[in-house]
Structure formats: structure tokens, C-alpha cells
Amino acid sequence: MAVETKWAFDRETVKSWSEKRNEPTWLQEKRLEALTNAASLPMPKPDKTKLTRWNFSTFENIDSDQRAIESYSDLPGDVARLAGEESKVNSAIIQRDGKVAHKKVAEELKEKGVIFTDFETAVNEHSDLLEKYFMGEAVRSDENQLTALHTALVNGGIFLYVPKNVEVEVPLQAIFWQDDVKVGLFNHVLIVAEDQSRVTYVENYVSFEKEKAAANIVTEVYVGQGAEVKYGAVDNLESGVTSYIVRRAHVQKDGRIEWALGQMNEGSTISENTTHLLGDGSYGDTKTVTVGRGDQVQNFTSNMVGHGKHSEGYILTHGVMKDEASAIFNGINKIEKGGTKAHSEQTGRVLMLSSKARGDANPILLIDEDDVTAGHAASVGKIDPMQMFYMQSRGLSKLEAERLIIHGFLEPVVGELPVEAVKERLSEVIERKVY
Amino acid sequence: MTASTLTIKDLHVEIEGKEIVKGFNLEISGGEIHAIMGPNGTGKSTLASAIMGHPSYEITKGSVSLDGEDVLEMEVDERARAGMFLAMQYPSEVTGVTTSDFLRTAINAHREEGDEIPLMKFIKKMDKNMETLDMNEQFSTRYLNEGFSGGEKKRNEILQLLMLEPKIAILDEIDSGLDIDALKVVSNGINNMRGESFGCLIITHYQRLLNYITPDHVHVMMQGRIVKSGDASLAQRLEAEGYDWIKEELGIEDERVGQEA
Ligand SMILES: Nc1ncnc2c1ncn2[C@@H]1O[C@H](COP(=O)(O)OP(=O)(O)OP(=O)(O)O)[C@@H](O)[C@H]1O
Ligand SMILES: [Mg+2]
């Protein structure tokens, strides 16, 4: 192993690292500005969770010297399984510690003008597009200390660009694998779906080592007029990883986004998902499921903000809590002044499997407009004994009945994921986390 | 398969310290159809749930056995695997679990590990029974009872009966909420089960179900026990005259449980 010098993350280090990567000036400047500002910015403030004792800086490095793995069959089994059988993989990018480990992009995508590439390549080949969108409107560098650090240190991720009127039929897949716990996972996913385009994207975050590590993840999705984006994700970082995750979308007139998020990290996690329904007639749907176990502490915020008229925003959150895990589920439906005829709904349900676990469903309606319809339902409880009796009366053992009920409870997201392999792996993760 | 016998002796059932079933006796054997009728609140559903092992009901006295095996010692799922079945008055909804997945799991729970029902065989059996019950095939892929109408839930209970082929079944108000056509279809399904290896206890308020499924024995339940038994003609008389004549005959003022003292 090479001699490890503690990464100082001062101006000089970031500057020379950016130069080494041949980054355009605008990006280097953006990084340096963010780095300078980071120290004076506040930490994020998720509702009902204090971050004072959270450590998001348990990393020593942001640069990995990992190389690409030429042959699919040489990928570690646990990683390859996420993508599925090689023959069934259409377009997938697999990254290890921010570096491309394997990349397969269908020719037809290129022919249609679709860009699906890793962040580093995108910065060099599509600098103008990146400059326009990266840490632009949806997530800003100066929001808080962690978004600033993200900009300064981003070391991996992907860029997906779908031109106007282009429909991508096959789901595009990304796998972000944190192999070396010393390398911080500063991952950025940027999706731009131009007007009337359509695309489905699904990602996995995964790690296998239990040591302390850090993840700082940002997704920005820009959905053009009449465009449709389906976004699936399974987060499954190991117990030592402290994660800060922000996924946001801006949706223009008649555009649609559907999120299906399997939030299955094993460690401390702050995860925010926000959709701004900017245009009239825009539509947003967030479905998110989680299983908390061990002593992990998590905070999930789902946020639907209606700006345009006739917008529709839906939030569904299902959480299963066991052991001594604790989680806050903030569901926020906001309708801004002027968002007439907007409709918004949320359901939050938490299933408690242990008396020592803590689950808090916290629905918030912030409505600044009269002419809207909104509804919410929240519940925290145990498995319904009548359901158990019903299922056991058909011969299912207590364990089998519980299993079916829990898998069913988490099905809203499992069922939405577009790739069979990803679906199956999520079911396995659920199985492993619950039993 | 040979005939089984469910024997209920002097059964007493309490809920939250209140006695609801008070000395119930009955023997149901393969080949027999018994009907229990009785006014509201006389303990019929309580009896059915208690026999199946509902956790809220406490059995304070008496015994239930299936072919000599002590049923009250068994867990709910063991009772099912021993061959008992309860079609519930209010079946639960289970989100995210399709009717078909649920039934396959249930059938396999009745079989040895490694001897699971082959998928094709399961599908065939499912198709056949759904056809018998005139159920649209979409029900197999819908989540268990979720958003089902009252009548659809009842049909689904009978579908489960036909799929699991129990030895002894208790059907609690399987006819309530069914339209005339559905009543015929469901009765037809139950009649298909009739035979030496199948015994059944039908709880109902209406003679019209018994027009389609002729019972061998009819019992009237009041105040938590059987107060009168007869053959199919008893049900007809109840339909025509109501319960007052029985109450008069036995000197019962209020037939509900907890009213007798
Ligand atoms: N969980 C419970 N808690 C309190 N009381 C109960 C409970 N379950 C049943 N009871 C009471 O026991 C009595 C008998 O109820 P049960 O449901 O067995 O009657 P039933 O004969 O099935 O009536 P119906 O014909 O209306 O279905 C009623 O007075 C009912 O209120
Ligand atoms: Mg009843």
C-alpha cells in the first residue's frame, strides 16, 4: 500500500487535484470557492435530528488509484449481482471509489444523442452542460457545510442527458461501490431530461466493509416540459458509513418524476428527497421504504413543493423499525402561493418490530394557497394481530406470516424498481435486515 | 382421505373477562354439513374464532379435539395444517401480498419442505377454482383482499377453501353481502367440496343459503350455547316464524349473551 498522508483538503491540494484531472477552470473555481465557504456555513438542519455529534468527515482521501476492471466476469460477485447477468445488462456504469470500474453503454443511446457517462468524463467532454446544471438551481453549494464540501470534493458520479423528444426504453443503471473506507464517497448524479423526453434510471449504493467511512451524495434532476423521469435507488452502505444524501428534482410544465427509493443503509443516515413542481400541470411521486436495525439513527425527509398551477405531488413512506434503531420520517407537502388547484397527498406508516426501536412519522402540510386539495395520513404501530391470525389460520407459521406482511409493506418500492436484478437484491437486503 | 371428526365439549370462551360462549357442545364429522343460526350477538363468531385459536379469546373450560388430538394445545397455524379452516366474517386485508403468492405460501405450508407444489400445478388449480367461483383472473394478482368489495372478499374466502381442501371448515356468514348470483356460485363451490372427507359448519342468518347447500343438521345458538337442534326443516321454520317461538318454548327473554341472569 502506498504511504498515506492525511488529506489536508486545503486550497492547494484541491487545486492540484483538479488540475491533475484536467478540469475546466469554471469547475476548479467553483470547487475552491465552495471549499473557502464551507467552514463558515452551518450544518444542515433536518427536522427533529441534531447533527452536532455526527461525523461526516471520517475519510482520509478523495482520490482512489483504482483501475477499471476490463472484464465483467472479473467484477466481485456481490457487485456484479447488482447489475444482473452480463447478457441482460444494456447500459450500466459501475464505479469503485469514484473511478469507473466497468462501463457499458448501448450504441443506440449514443445514436440518439443520449449522454450517459461518468462524472469525470462528462466534465471534460460536456463542460458547457455541466457548468449550466452542476450544483446549480436544485442543490446549491452555499446551502450548508455539507453541500459546500460536496462541490469542493466531488470525486465520482454520473451524468445523464436526454435530448428533446428522445425516449429511452431500457433502464439505465449505475452502481456506486465504496470499496476503500478511507476514500470519501462524494458522489454526484446529474440528470437532465429535455422537453418531451423520457428516461428510467436506477442506482445502487453499496459497500461491504464495516469500518468508519463517509458518504456525501447529491442528485440533481432537471425534468423539462412534458418530460418523464423514473428514478429508482437502493442505498445499502455498511454500518460504519455516515451518510448525507440529497436528491432533488425540478419539474417543468407537464413534466413528471417518479422516485422509488429503497433506503437500506446500515449506518447513520440523513436523507432528503425534494421535488419542486415548478411548471403548471407538473407531477411528482415519491415512494420510499426503509428498514432500521441495530442502533442506527436515521432521518428521512420527503418534500413535495407545488409552485405551478394544477400540480400533483404524492409522498408514500413506509418504514420498518427493529432492535434499537431510531428514525424520523418527515413528510412535507408544501404549496406555494399561486399554486392554485394543486393537489398533494402523503401517507407515512411505520411498523415497529421492537419496543426499543423508535419511529417518528412527522407529516407537515405548509399551504399558502386556498384553492388546493391536500391530505395526509400517518401511523406508527405494530403488526396487526388480526392480519397475523388471518394468515396463520391458513397454515402460515408466525414467521412466514410476518415475513409476508413485511415484504408486502415494503412492496410499493420493490415493485417500482425497473430492473429485475435490482428488485431481487432489494428483496434480499430486506430479508437480511429483517431476519 | 378418510373422514375426520371435530369434537367440541362444554366449551366456555371469555373475552376481556366476559363470558361469551357458555357450554357449547357439538361433533362434526366428515360428510356432514351443520348449520348454526341465531340472532345477532349470541356468540357465533366468538365460537368460530375461538376454535381456530384467535389470540383475544380465552378458553376457560371445555375441550376441542380433532380426531382425538387436542386442538386447544395447537398454535393457530398448526390447527390449519391439521386440516381446519375458518372463513372469516371480516377477512383482513394484506397490502403488497398478492392473493396468488399468499395461497401458494399457504399450500406449501401444508406440505413438507422440498415437496412444494409445482408452479404449473398451482396455476392450473387456481384457474380451475377461480372459474368455479366465477372470479376474474385479475384477483389472483391483486393484493390480498385489499379494496375487495364485501362480496369479493367472501368469494376469496371460498377460493382459499377450495385451494386448501381442509378436513373441517367453519364458514362464518359466508353469504352476507353476496348477491343472488354470487350466492349460487359460492354455494356451488362449497358443494364441490362435499364428500366423506369434508365436514363443515356453516354460520348463517339466512335460509336462502341453505336452499343451495342442504344441511344435515341445523342448530340454534342463543346465550352462548346451542338451545335447539333439528334437521333442514328447522331452518325453514326459523325463516318463516323467526326466533320468538324458540324463546317462548325455552323461556328465554333476551337471547344475547350476558342477558340471562
Ligand atoms: N373483541 C371483543 N371485545 C368485546 N366484546 C366482544 C368482542 N368480540 C365479541 N364481543 C361480544 O361478544 C358478543 C358475541 O359476539 P359475536 O361476534 O360472537 O356474535 P355473533 O353471534 O357472531 O353476532 P352476529 O350475528 O352479529 O355476527 C357480543 O355481545 C359482542 O359484542
Ligand atoms: Mg358473527
Side-chain angles (χ1 to χ4, degrees), chain A residues 72 83-93 103-109 116 168-173 419:
Chain A
Y72 192 83
E85 274 173 61
E86 186 179 11
S87 59
K88 290 192 187 145
V89 176
N90 180 286
S91 295
I93 296 174
K103 185 172 177 177
K104 179 179 170 190
V105 179
E107 268 312 310
E108 61 181 279
L109 288 182
F116 182 50
V168 182
E169 304 297 337
V170 293
L172 307 181
Q173 237 185 312
V419 174

Side-chain angles (χ1 to χ4, degrees), chain A residues 386-387 390 394-396, chain B residues 54 77 81 86 93 157 160:
Chain A
M386 277 311 292
Q387 279 186 342
Y390 184 63
R394 301 301 184 247
L396 277 68
Chain B
H54 189 297
D77 52 312
R81 293 198 296 271
L86 169 62
E93 303 188 357
E157 291 295 282
Q160 295 180 37

Side-chain angles (χ1 to χ4, degrees), chain A residues 10 19 65 109 163 177 188 193 208 215 219-220 249 289 332 356 370:
Chain A
D10 58 9
E19 268 159 16
D65 50 13
L109 288 182
W177 161 34
H188 195 91
F208 305 100
T219 282
E220 296 173 271
V289 296
I332 308 172
K356 289 189 188 133
D370 298 328

Side-chain angles (χ1 to χ4, degrees), chain A residues 62-76:
Chain A
I62 50 170
D63 200 9
S64 156
D65 50 13
Q66 295 289 3
R67 300 209 182 162
I69 297 170
E70 289 305 324
S71 153
Y72 192 83
S73 55
D74 290 338
L75 284 167

